[in-house]
Amino acid sequence: MNSRSTEQPAWQRNPIFEFFASLKLAVVLLAVIIVAAIAGTIYESSFDAKIARAYVYDAQWFNLWLIMHDASLARSALSRWPWRKHHLAFIITLLIGSLIGRI
């Protein structure tokens, strides 16, 4: 057993938490979002922005992937608890940036 696992609280050692905090899951979720964004861009260039918005960007499946990716990022950030000052600033910047991008 390594020293990191003994330092972590029990909730961070939970297998479900570890799965959702995994880098592999984040990469898969990000890859799906990228492919969807490419499809949205193709729809937009072939038809128009309303079609792309209706079929991709405002679609429930796309929002589900975004929520899953955000949850994965949040769990990844929580797995590094307690945070240092630069971690907290980075997390706040990410949250504000994603909020601005979504609006």
Side-chain angles (χ1 to χ4, degrees), residues 11-12 16-22 25 29 67-81 83:
W11 59 272
Q12 287 183 355
I16 294 171
F17 180 87
E18 288 180 354
F19 170 75
F20 282 106
S22 75
L25 178 64
L29 292 170
I67 289 168
M68 288 173 39
H69 188 258
D70 290 347
S72 175
L73 285 175
R75 287 179 179 97
S76 182
L78 285 173
S79 71
R80 281 138 182 88
W81 184 266
W83 298 319

Side-chain angles (χ1 to χ4, degrees), residues 32-49:
V32 170
I33 292 168
I34 289 170
V35 169
I38 291 170
T41 302
I42 291 170
Y43 279 141
E44 194 169 345
S45 66
S46 299
F47 304 105
D48 67 359

